[in-house]
Amino acid sequence: MSIDLRSTTMRPIRAACLGTATALVALLSCAPVAAAAATDPHPAHDKGKHRVITLTGELRKQSFLPVNRKGPAAQGDRTVFNSELFDENHESVGETNGTCTTTWVGEVAQDSAEVCVVTYTLQGGQLSVQGMVFGHLVPGPPPSFDNGITGGTGEFDRARGSVHAETIGMGKRRFTIDLYL
């Protein structure tokens, strides 16, 4: 009995090569689509609506929850707050509620840092915002900061962008919301 080794070994190799070639063609045909998608750094920004909303916040209530009741500022100190939001005509349009937790107390007050999570409740929905605030232990007016919009509800569903906050008076801040929907 004789066995033809060429026919039994060539068939699996040919099938494997054909399968590899098919996979390579499929991979290469998808490459331009993947490359095009990867070159668009802000696809939602280009396809959605862009709005800038400027509001004034007036602090209504603020509580401090220190780690060291009678000692210096420490990692883990928290601030909880609520502010009323007004439009350019000083009409009430919503509120902010949030908490900030001290994450770093440096050698000098300017080196301090806290992470804040805030919800802006406006007519039409809510915006979720979070980010870092630096220098919050410096005496005087709180420093300006920029935080990122992480999402929203209602008309702010899938919102992205940022919020710039600057102190404009005792217990007053101007919020510039750069919003992409």
Side-chain angles (χ1 to χ4, degrees):
M1 175 188 268
S2 86
I3 299 175
D4 184 3
L5 292 175
R6 284 184 307 163
S7 65
T8 58
T9 55
M10 293 303 285
R11 190 167 290 148
I13 291 173
R14 267 188 276 170
C17 289
L18 182 60
T20 303
T22 303
L24 186 59
V25 168
L27 180 65
L28 292 176
S29 67
C30 293
V33 174
T39 60
D40 188 1
H42 303 292
H45 292 195
D46 297 336
K47 296 177 181 119
K49 297 182 234 168
H50 178 241
R51 290 172 55 187
V52 176
I53 302 169
T54 303
L55 302 171
T56 301
E58 294 182 9
L59 186 63
R60 288 196 278 201
K61 179 81 173 166
Q62 184 172 22
S63 299
F64 298 99
L65 307 165
V67 171
N68 302 321
R69 289 185 189 260
K70 295 184 183 185
Q75 186 178 35
D77 287 353
R78 285 189 308 159
T79 302
V80 181
F81 58 88
N82 168 270
S83 298
E84 188 168 3
L85 294 172
F86 298 92
D87 65 11
E88 65 277 352
N89 299 319
H90 201 70
E91 292 184 29
S92 180
V93 295
E95 65 181 18
T96 61
N97 293 281
T99 184
C100 296
T101 304
T102 300
T103 58
W104 178 253
V105 178
E107 297 291 320
V108 293
Q110 294 88 332
D111 293 339
S112 61
E114 60 184 354
V115 64
C116 299
V117 178
V118 182
T119 299
Y120 291 72
T121 303
L122 303 168
Q123 298 163 350
Q126 297 178 349
L127 285 171
S128 298
V129 176
Q130 75 178 55
M132 299 298 294
V133 176
F134 298 97
H136 68 285
L137 297 177
V138 175
S144 297
F145 61 88
D146 295 290
N147 285 172
I149 297 172
T150 58
T153 64
E155 73 177 65
F156 305 112
D157 182 41
R158 300 174 194 238
R160 292 289 179 258
S162 62
V163 175
H164 176 75
E166 59 185 305
T167 301
I168 57 172
M170 187 64 141
K172 290 185 180 183
R173 289 190 186 233
R174 178 180 304 115
F175 298 105
T176 304
I177 303 170
D178 194 15
L179 184 64
Y180 293 89
L181 299 169

